[in-house]
Amino acid sequence: MTESIEDIIKAGYRTWRDNIILGIPFLLSGIINVVIIVALVFFLIFVVGYSAMSPNGFNMSTPMLLVMGLATTAAIFLMLLVGSFFEAGAIGMAKKAIRTGSTSFNDMLAYGGKKFLSLFFASILISLIVFFVIVLLLIPVVAAFISGLINVGLSLSVLSLALLMLFDTALSIILIPVSYTIIVSDLGAIEGIRRGCRFFMKNKLSVLFLLFVTKGVMWACGLIINLITSLIGVIPIIGAVINWGVYLLYAISIVMVLVPVFTVWWTRLYMDRTDTKLWEEPIESYPRAPVPEPETLTQESFYI
Amino acid sequence: MAEGLEDILRKGFYVWKGNLSIALPFLLNKIVSFILIIGLVVSLFSLLPIPLISDLHGVKESLRNASELIAPASIVIILLVFTVFLFLMMLISSFFEAGAIGMAKKAIEAAASPISRVVTYSPFTDMMDYGSRRFFDLFLFRLIISAAVLILVCLLFGAPILINIALSERFEMFFRGFINLGASLLSLSMVALTLFFVVTPYAIVIGDLGVIDGLRRGYKFFMGNKFLVFIFWFFVRYAVELISYAVTFIGMLSLSVALLFVHMPADILYLLRFNDYSSLMTLLAELSVVFIATILVAVLASLAISIFIISPLTTVWWSMFYMKLVEGK
């Protein structure tokens, strides 16, 4: 019972169209992140201003630097937590919408509250792995430089940069399914990462295909927005002002349309390839459940 | 048809792995065009005013000679040589492309029915056979597309420039906007042209059609199956990007190996402080050799990857796409 990618894309788009509310978590997450960043910037300016106002000129005392570092770290962790909460909520909403045809704000709160810690720990764990690999690659470089082998050090630094790039690219592709594993299959962080990697290994082509399609859609939207802005930009001075509005609208539409659609695609792909039930069994008292029908989707024009 | 496009991609990958000889036409194409480029350079040098090169006494005189010798006539000749050269290159690449598509078709058919694999499969004859049968139509197709692009460029960029000149710079405040608009329209229409006629080369060779029928079938197919063409094209495009990533990696590896052989002084500042220019120059020379070697390796790697992986693989994928979805085999 595997759907092809094109069916997943079509059905996922329909799911989003029937549930435009799917964009809400991403919008909220974006707004809260902006608020956190603005607050952090204000806080830093305040701290810097306070320390600069001290009578003996502009000097940074160690406690001030400590406070600034703490504030930045706290803000980063807060943003990660908020992001995890809303991502968990969004994937949960997508799962619900794919299964039953409709979803609500309560699903977001339920899934977000239930799974955000696992998702948060998973992202911390992944960052730790990346950090560990960077340190591992840096040790020989530093050792070579310290022992005076300059060209060995240079060569090793180029080599480790290449390896790091390779590792980063591979990791960013392999770990795509992790958050879907954690939420859809209801797993913890470590088990989620393990199963996510296994999911990728089993479905390399599908994951790559969907990744490339999402990239392509983003690229095509960029092309279109480029056309619109250059069309408006022909107007001498007002055009540039209007274009700021266009860019803002574009950013909002990415958050409200593209990201939720992508989430539904990934969730559907994951549910489909792991044999998670795509729809609930229709109960007698609930006969007209808006059930997506994957079988009928392939009947569109394949041949001319 | 339960698996759809993924099926095509998976099977296409195996067909490519089983038939690495599909790289042959692309390799020959590169070799022949390399020879042609050398020929072009030689012929241009023979056409250029010789005094300019040989008369090294009296630069002024030779410059005067040059301005006399680069007369309209020789410019026309040079342009003519260039045009002929371009056409020749296009003809040759069309020939080899047709050959490659024909080979891909044969390989896909052979993979579909294991019995026929024993019967006839000889890469070179197939290439020559398909190449010679349909290369002219493919050439015409490439010509039409290039002409369309040329016209678009002239229209989109030529018009604002002409208006600007005609209005004697009073158009200036709109000028940049129009150039930007032209650039984005051009990129959009290039994509549209590519997508409209993406299956046309395959229709010409595999479907054995003339150029007009090929264009019509390509357009019709795109109009009927926009979605499929879109996502397949996206996949092929980004897959090529991912594979090309290897070039960067190989380049960096070779750089890191080459850096081992540089005689790096323990303290670079020491050289600067004591004005030790000779060792500084040696160091710079060695470093530039290293960088040139790295670039050479990267270029060779990208050529090899393009010839042996990217071109054959995409040809097989699109041939399979055409055969499965357009002709329904």
Side-chain angles (χ1 to χ4, degrees):
Chain A
M1 199 211 64
T2 49
E3 287 180 301
S4 64
I5 283 285
E6 49 266 38
D7 295 341
I8 288 174
I9 289 173
K10 282 179 189 165
Y13 172 71
R14 271 172 219 166
T15 305
W16 171 78
R17 203 185 48 195
D18 297 340
N19 299 280
I20 297 190
I21 191 177
L22 280 169
I24 296 292
F26 296 104
L27 192 69
L28 284 178
S29 162
I31 291 172
I32 291 177
N33 277 342
V34 168
V35 168
I36 290 175
I37 290 172
V38 168
L40 178 70
V41 167
F42 268 105
F43 180 73
L44 289 185
I45 288 174
F46 171 72
V47 168
V48 170
Y50 186 75
S51 67
M53 267 192 293
S54 60
N56 40 351
F58 187 86
N59 62 337
M60 286 286 182
S61 52
T62 330
M64 280 299 166
L65 281 178
L66 207 67
V67 166
M68 284 168 73
L70 268 178
T72 315
T73 320
I76 289 173
F77 272 91
L78 200 60
M79 266 154 55
L80 254 178
L81 270 175
V82 169
S84 307
F85 177 81
F86 284 111
E87 196 187 347
I91 296 172
M93 278 171 90
K95 179 185 174 187
K96 190 84 190 298
I98 290 167
R99 272 206 181 157
T100 62
S102 69
T103 184
S104 68
F105 201 67
N106 287 335
D107 293 327
M108 183 191 94
L109 295 179
Y111 276 101
K114 201 168 73 177
K115 297 308 298 181
F116 83 101
L117 264 179
S118 308
L119 210 55
F120 176 70
F121 282 132
S123 45
I124 297 270
L125 217 63
I126 290 166
S127 323
L128 277 180
I129 292 171
V130 173
F131 182 71
F132 180 68
V133 168
I134 291 175
V135 169
L136 211 65
L137 287 172
L138 267 179
I139 288 172
V141 175
V142 173
F145 273 119
I146 285 175
S147 52
L149 300 164
I150 301 235
N151 46 358
V152 174
L154 277 178
S155 150
L156 276 179
S157 53
V158 171
L159 182 70
S160 39
L161 191 65
L163 286 178
L164 191 65
M165 276 162 61
L166 197 71
F167 176 72
D168 190 50
T169 315
L171 209 62
S172 69
I173 295 173
I174 293 172
L175 293 180
I176 290 174
V178 168
S179 37
Y180 302 92
T181 316
I182 290 176
I183 289 142
V184 177
S185 296
D186 199 8
L187 296 170
I190 296 171
E191 188 60 22
I193 291 177
R194 196 180 295 150
R195 288 254 211 114
C197 292
R198 207 179 297 153
F199 177 81
F200 171 77
M201 286 305 169
K202 260 165 110 185
N203 303 283
K204 289 186 208 73
L205 185 65
S206 313
V207 172
L208 274 182
F209 203 153
L210 200 51
L211 175 70
F212 291 162
V213 169
T214 54
K215 272 186 157 192
V217 170
M218 287 294 274
W219 170 80
C221 289
L223 209 64
I224 291 166
I225 208 71
N226 198 8
L227 181 70
I228 294 172
T229 50
S230 64
L231 197 67
I232 296 173
V234 168
I235 310 164
I237 294 153
I238 315 156
V241 180
I242 299 176
N243 273 341
W244 282 108
V246 173
Y247 281 124
L248 189 67
L249 271 179
Y250 178 51
I252 291 174
S253 68
I254 283 180
V255 172
M256 283 295 288
V257 180
L258 290 185
V259 180
V261 170
F262 293 166
T263 307
V264 176
W265 286 347
W266 284 114
T267 312
R268 197 176 177 95
L269 178 78
Y270 180 78
M271 288 166 78
D272 178 67
R273 297 298 144 95
T274 47
D275 277 340
T276 314
K277 268 187 288 178
L278 278 179
W279 60 86
E280 287 172 345
E281 300 300 323
I283 313 162
E284 287 305 313
S285 59
Y286 190 48
R288 285 188 197 280
V291 171
E293 295 158 37
E295 274 83 4
T296 56
L297 297 172
T298 36
Q299 303 303 318
E300 298 198 6
S301 57
F302 251 87
Y303 315 107
I304 52 170
Chain B
M1 196 46 75
E3 288 266 333
L5 296 183
E6 277 163 280
D7 206 25
I8 294 177
L9 291 170
R10 196 174 292 123
K11 282 185 184 157
F13 182 74
Y14 288 122
V15 167
W16 167 72
K17 241 170 86 179
N19 301 277
L20 293 175
S21 55
I22 299 175
L24 179 73
F26 297 105
L27 184 66
L28 288 176
N29 183 21
K30 280 284 184 296
I31 292 172
V32 173
S33 5
F34 187 66
I35 293 170
L36 260 183
I37 288 172
I38 290 177
L40 174 82
V41 170
V42 169
S43 64
L44 275 186
F45 265 110
S46 63
L47 278 173
L48 270 181
I50 303 299
L52 193 69
I53 303 158
S54 55
D55 270 14
L56 284 174
H57 60 277
V59 182
K60 269 188 185 172
E61 234 171 274
S62 66
L63 275 180
R64 201 177 303 138
N65 280 349
S67 61
E68 280 165 18
L69 276 165
I70 305 183
S74 59
I75 286 179
V76 166
I77 289 175
I78 289 173
L79 276 182
L80 213 67
V81 168
F82 257 112
T83 327
V84 168
F85 172 74
L86 276 183
F87 275 82
L88 214 58
M89 289 278 271
M90 248 162 126
L91 262 175
I92 287 165
S93 67
S94 310
F95 177 83
F96 285 118
E97 200 191 340
I101 296 171
M103 283 170 76
K105 180 202 168 192
K106 278 250 169 154
I108 292 164
E109 279 172 352
S113 56
I115 311 152
S116 65
R117 189 176 304 195
V118 203
V119 186
T120 52
Y121 187 61
S122 74
F124 197 71
T125 357
D126 282 343
M127 186 191 81
M128 294 311 259
D129 186 25
Y130 280 97
S132 54
R133 200 191 313 168
R134 277 297 166 194
F135 79 100
F136 197 69
D137 289 293
L138 205 56
F139 168 70
L140 282 181
F141 166 67
R142 293 273 176 246
L143 204 64
I144 290 171
I145 295 291
S146 323
V149 171
L150 199 68
I151 291 170
L152 272 174
V153 169
C154 287
L155 262 171
L156 291 174
F157 292 115
I161 290 172
L162 278 183
I163 293 173
N164 198 27
I165 292 169
L167 293 179
S168 60
E169 313 286 317
R170 250 174 297 154
F171 192 56
E172 200 61 51
M173 68 190 310
F174 293 98
F175 184 65
R176 270 191 63 122
F178 269 105
I179 291 292
N180 277 342
L181 181 63
S184 53
L185 271 177
L186 185 71
S187 54
L188 201 68
S189 48
M190 295 271 267
V191 172
L193 271 179
T194 315
L195 282 175
F196 281 167
F197 303 119
V198 77
V199 296
T200 301
Y202 305 91
I204 288 174
V205 179
I206 298 175
D208 210 11
L209 296 173
V211 61
I212 300 297
D213 287 331
L215 284 173
R216 193 177 296 148
R217 181 173 287 191
Y219 179 71
K220 227 193 238 166
F221 178 71
F222 174 72
M223 280 310 175
N225 301 276
K226 288 189 204 71
F227 174 66
L228 288 181
V229 176
F230 259 122
I231 63 172
F232 199 73
W233 188 68
F234 283 151
F235 182 87
V236 174
R237 185 188 142 99
Y238 286 106
V240 165
E241 209 170 85
L242 198 66
I243 296 168
S244 311
Y245 196 73
V247 174
T248 323
F249 190 69
I250 291 171
M252 286 177 91
L253 279 189
S254 72
L255 179 66
S256 84
V257 171
L259 275 174
L260 282 177
F261 297 102
V262 177
H263 298 287
M264 197 68 72
D267 188 2
I268 295 175
L269 289 176
Y270 174 84
L271 294 180
L272 291 172
R273 207 178 302 133
F274 289 94
N275 294 333
D276 190 354
Y277 284 122
S278 63
S279 19
L280 201 63
M281 281 298 135
T282 339
L283 179 62
L284 282 183
E286 279 181 5
L287 279 181
S288 49
V289 167
V290 162
F291 279 115
I292 290 170
T294 307
I295 289 170
L296 213 67
V297 168
V299 166
L300 280 181
S302 83
L303 263 179
I305 285 173
S306 145
I307 289 173
F308 291 106
I309 301 177
I310 291 175
S311 310
L313 191 57
T314 49
T315 306
V316 170
W317 273 341
W318 278 112
S319 302
M320 210 148 176
F321 183 82
Y322 176 80
M323 288 165 77
K324 276 220 163 160
L325 297 187
V326 186
E327 298 192 340
K329 279 178 196 163

